Amino acid sequence: MTNASEKKTAEFNMTFCILSAVAIIMVVAGHLGYSIMTLGELFPYYSFHVPLFLFISGYFYKETEEEHPFAYVKKKARRLLLPYFIWNLFYGVAAWLLRRYGFYMGEGISLETLFLAPFMHGYQFIYNYAAWFVPVLFVIEMMNLLMRIAVGRSLRRLLPVKEGADRLAEWVFLFGSLFVGMVVIYLAIGGHVWGDYKAPGRILLLYPCFQMGQFYKKRLEKHDTLGNLPYFAIVLSVQAALQVCCNGLAFSSVWCTGFANGPVIPYVTIVSGIAFWLRIARIMKPVAEKSKAVRWIGQNTYTVMMHHVMIFMLIKMIIAALAAFTGMCADFDFGQFYANIDYVYLVNGAEHFKMVYLAAGVGAPLGARYLLFNRKRK
């Protein structure tokens, strides 16, 4: 998840910009139940799309951050948490106003819902629930910083050669975090990750995906040279086998539920999903790198994640007004509209009307940001 300002301090990578754009479109489509990018449900969104953001974030982590850890914490708090808390207050006020007009969604504004609930679940005001990921990402980045400082320094004391210590550290971070993540899944299957335990559960579940990004960058990327035909043959064969042999691949990263195939398969689907779309992004690069739209989406996924659910709500408000005052869309369900944020009304029951929600959910927040950004520059 990135903001446009981050380009000023990070080397631009078009392949990962495309990958970020793909990931946020899948998130928006997933909240609509719109499987337009799943390849016929071969790659279900909820089997890898949230971990994909951690993979991307991990890829861009730099060891030099460990030289000035407090500056890193300050930078991440400013880029991730400060805008989150500002918008959280905005959506708290919006939820309060909408409750006055009969809506039943969102909690009241309090210190808990403003500052604690975002770290516990992120669904406090509902209309920005997709942004639950932001505090989780911040905590994971802080965990990564502390672990790398502590473990990295310890290994360098044990191994006199810095390169050997760094190589060992990457293996320790990856497989150590995978082991902990699998333990979390095992406990979740047993019904032990519930209530307040879900907050640390989701963090430990997703933490290995951040390490996958670093591991790929440092150890695998230089070896990622297999031709497209054998590459896709392997990835698609693995995914097809998973679909045939498993009891559904989707799971919930936010609630740590839905693990139908034990503690290992979720991470296999994460790797296969990332591998597939990473190569697609690389193939798209020569064409997409000339597209300002793709760059704008990939560099501003934070904006889309924060606001697309409210954009869905605004579309439904327009339809509700048409149903109430013109008689159009007579089958519009007002009960669901007032009480269920996930209600998606389809004009004439047409599944393809979800494209309207998808285009608006991505385009409206980015369009507003573009206008504000240009005005600020002028």
Side-chain angles (χ1 to χ4, degrees):
M1 184 186 303
T2 56
N3 285 315
S5 60
E6 294 192 30
K7 183 183 175 182
K8 298 178 182 178
T9 55
E11 183 179 349
F12 185 74
N13 184 313
M14 191 62 202
T15 297
F16 274 75
C17 182
I18 297 168
L19 196 60
S20 295
V22 168
I24 196 61
I25 291 171
M26 287 192 291
V27 166
V28 178
H31 290 150
L32 293 168
Y34 194 20
S35 56
I36 189 174
M37 297 175 66
T38 63
L39 275 71
E41 295 295 344
L42 183 62
F43 290 92
Y45 301 134
Y46 288 90
S47 66
F48 73 95
H49 71 341
V50 171
L52 177 54
F53 279 107
L54 271 303
F55 174 83
I56 294 169
S57 298
Y59 180 90
F60 286 106
Y61 175 79
K62 295 181 179 180
E63 288 183 336
T64 53
E65 306 288 4
E66 296 160 29
E67 299 171 7
H68 305 285
F70 292 107
Y72 177 75
V73 174
K74 181 180 177 181
K75 176 179 68 176
K76 289 297 179 178
R78 185 177 68 251
R79 291 180 178 176
L80 293 175
L81 293 186
L82 180 59
Y84 176 91
F85 286 129
I86 292 172
W87 283 114
N88 193 48
L89 175 60
F90 171 85
Y91 281 112
V93 174
W96 172 74
L97 288 172
L98 288 170
R99 281 196 303 275
R100 292 171 63 90
Y101 289 94
F103 290 87
Y104 299 98
M105 295 175 284
E107 301 177 38
I109 298 176
S110 66
L111 290 177
E112 179 180 353
T113 54
L114 289 175
F115 300 108
L116 178 60
F119 292 95
M120 298 306 295
H121 53 79
Y123 277 59
Q124 60 280 352
F125 300 129
I126 300 299
Y127 302 101
N128 62 330
Y129 77 80
W132 67 266
F133 177 79
V134 176
V136 169
L137 175 60
F138 177 79
V139 172
I140 287 175
E141 290 190 328
M142 296 306 102
M143 284 177 54
N144 172 70
L145 178 68
L146 293 174
M147 290 294 294
R148 286 181 176 272
I149 290 175
V151 175
R153 290 178 180 176
S154 299
L155 289 174
R156 291 184 191 111
R157 293 193 189 100
L158 294 174
L159 298 175
V161 181
K162 182 180 183 301
E163 183 179 349
D166 291 344
R167 185 181 299 112
L168 178 59
E170 289 306 320
W171 287 95
V172 170
F173 293 137
L174 178 63
F175 286 98
S177 62
L178 278 171
F179 174 77
V180 173
M182 290 178 189
V183 170
V184 169
I185 295 174
Y186 175 80
L187 293 173
I189 293 172
H192 304 293
V193 181
W194 56 276
D196 291 342
Y197 294 114
K198 288 190 180 294
R202 73 180 63 158
I203 290 168
L204 296 176
L205 171 69
L206 293 170
Y207 183 56
C209 307
F210 189 95
Q211 302 306 331
M212 288 178 190
Q214 267 293 286
F215 192 84
Y216 175 79
K217 181 178 182 179
K218 293 182 177 179
R219 299 289 169 239
L220 298 181
E221 188 171 27
K222 60 186 176 183
H223 303 297
D224 189 3
T225 58
L226 192 64
N228 291 333
L229 184 59
Y231 184 95
F232 284 122
I234 293 171
V235 173
L236 293 173
S237 296
V238 169
Q239 194 70 12
L242 290 172
Q243 286 285 7
V244 170
C245 300
C246 296
N247 301 313
L249 303 181
F251 60 89
S252 172
S253 297
V254 61
W255 302 121
C256 291
T257 57
F259 304 109
N261 306 290
V264 177
I265 295 300
Y267 288 112
V268 176
T269 67
I270 288 170
V271 171
S272 62
I274 291 173
F276 178 81
W277 285 104
L278 179 60
R279 181 55 64 96
I280 292 293
R282 186 188 297 182
I283 293 171
M284 291 174 61
K285 179 182 175 182
V287 177
E289 64 185 354
K290 298 179 181 179
S291 171
K292 293 181 180 179
V294 173
R295 286 174 178 254
W296 193 247
I297 296 172
Q299 291 177 295
N300 293 282
T301 54
Y302 189 114
T303 300
V304 178
M305 186 168 288
M306 180 65 70
H307 302 301
H308 71 272
V309 175
M310 191 59 176
I311 297 299
F312 296 165
M313 196 67 192
L314 292 176
I315 293 173
K316 288 181 284 187
M317 287 179 178
I318 294 172
I319 298 173
L322 290 173
F325 298 111
T326 71
M328 299 172 60
C329 306
D331 58 338
F332 185 82
D333 190 331
F334 281 90
Q336 289 285 327
F337 171 59
Y338 281 107
N340 181 10
I341 193 67
D342 294 321
Y343 172 60
V344 177
Y345 175 77
L346 304 178
V347 176
N348 295 326
E351 182 75 7
H352 296 303
F353 190 75
K354 289 181 179 179
M355 182 58 74
V356 174
Y357 289 94
L358 178 60
V362 175
L366 292 180
R369 180 174 176 81
Y370 181 80
L371 294 175
L372 292 172
F373 179 73
N374 278 1
R375 182 179 299 176
K376 186 180 293 187
R377 289 184 61 182
K378 293 176 181 180

